[in-house]
Amino acid sequence: MATIEECRSALDKLSDSMQRAEGDVRDAAALDRSVSCHITDLDVTFVGRMRGGRIEVHDTVPGPPPGKAEIRLAMTGDDLVALVGGELHFAKAWGSGRVKLHASVRDLFQLRKLL
């Protein structure tokens, strides 16, 4: 099972990748939205903001998200690490229910370029 530190590191790695993106992917990464990522097996949530092509994690809180972020993810720590490491394909994980993503329809269209 991935640790909180490994999950935080994976989010930092994802943020770095987003900042280096080009073209349509860079446009999608430029959204300015509140974000939460609930790590279900650790029962912690990373809370922050996606802006300027980065994910800024402001806090790590116990339990499910304390509020309703504009973009909400939920998955196990191992799945987060595997997604960021390229070992797990997002569409397959989302389609099977391993990863849950909640966002507005407009944001989903933008995010699909990232994922």
Side-chain angles (χ1 to χ4, degrees):
M1 178 178 0
T3 65
I4 292 174
E5 293 79 19
E6 289 169 325
C7 292
R8 176 63 190 254
S9 178
L11 287 171
D12 289 342
K13 184 177 176 181
L14 175 61
S15 182
D16 291 344
S17 295
M18 287 171 52
Q19 192 166 36
R20 290 190 304 270
E22 297 178 2
D24 287 344
V25 175
R26 184 162 187 81
D27 292 343
L31 290 172
D32 185 356
R33 301 287 186 271
S34 58
V35 178
S36 68
C37 182
H38 183 222
I39 306 302
T40 56
D41 56 335
L42 299 174
D43 198 26
V44 298
T45 301
F46 295 95
V47 180
R49 187 145 202 101
M50 186 167 91
R51 77 171 133 215
R54 295 195 58 83
I55 297 171
E56 302 165 357
V57 176
H58 299 293
D59 203 2
T60 305
V61 296
K68 192 172 183 179
E70 293 166 295
I71 298 171
R72 299 177 308 278
L73 290 160
M75 68 193 82
T76 67
D78 287 342
D79 284 345
L80 173 62
V81 170
L83 280 168
V84 174
E87 301 159 14
L88 180 62
H89 190 268
F90 182 83
K92 184 176 179 181
W94 187 32
S96 69
R98 287 174 66 178
V99 172
K100 295 184 180 8
L101 169 65
H102 301 279
S104 71
V105 173
R106 184 176 175 197
D107 286 347
L108 286 172
F109 279 118
Q110 282 294 100
L111 290 171
R112 70 185 170 100
K113 297 173 189 173
L114 281 174
L115 308 169

